[in-house]
Amino acid sequence: GNVQKSPIWRKLCFGGAGGVMAGLITYPNDTVRRMLQLQGSRGTTSIYTGYFDCVKKIYAKHGIQRFYHGVGINIVRMAPNTAFQFGSYELLKRLSENFA
């Protein structure tokens, strides 16, 4: 049958929205990863024994907001990135249908 395709701009918008949501969901994990990577650098001592110890200590000392410190610039990067990925994928998929 003839299936109507959604416009590319919808893929761009929903791709961008998906990127924002993914960024918000995964950012706390990135924060913990960075904290673990940076411990012991520049002559500091190790503070965390592992992932969950790091989460517990960050939350106890700084609260939930510390896990999202710097998330704004990450969202500014993620939204156009995923919008472009979804939009270009859809565009290339449509263009390649003519060659199949």
Side-chain angles (χ1 to χ4, degrees):
N2 190 7
V3 178
Q4 184 164 351
K5 298 174 183 166
S6 62
I8 298 292
W9 66 264
R10 281 188 59 152
K11 299 289 184 180
L12 289 169
C13 290
F14 286 113
V20 168
M21 290 306 298
L24 289 173
I25 291 168
T26 61
Y27 197 77
N29 187 58
D30 276 348
T31 298
V32 173
R33 177 189 53 80
R34 280 190 307 276
M35 298 296 281
L36 288 168
Q37 284 178 328
L38 290 175
Q39 72 174 347
S41 66
R42 297 186 180 161
T44 60
T45 59
S46 295
I47 337 172
Y48 312 113
T49 59
Y51 182 86
F52 292 108
D53 181 56
C54 183
V55 170
K56 185 173 71 172
K57 287 179 179 174
I58 290 172
Y59 182 76
K61 187 172 182 180
H62 303 284
I64 194 78
Q65 63 270 20
R66 177 61 181 97
F67 292 100
Y68 288 95
H69 183 75
V71 73
I73 196 69
N74 190 50
I75 296 302
V76 168
R77 179 184 65 87
M78 287 288 289
N81 183 5
T82 53
F84 182 76
Q85 285 178 349
F86 275 81
S88 60
Y89 171 78
E90 187 64 25
L91 180 64
L92 291 172
K93 187 171 82 169
R94 288 181 188 183
L95 291 172
S96 69
E97 288 173 353
N98 297 331
F99 299 107

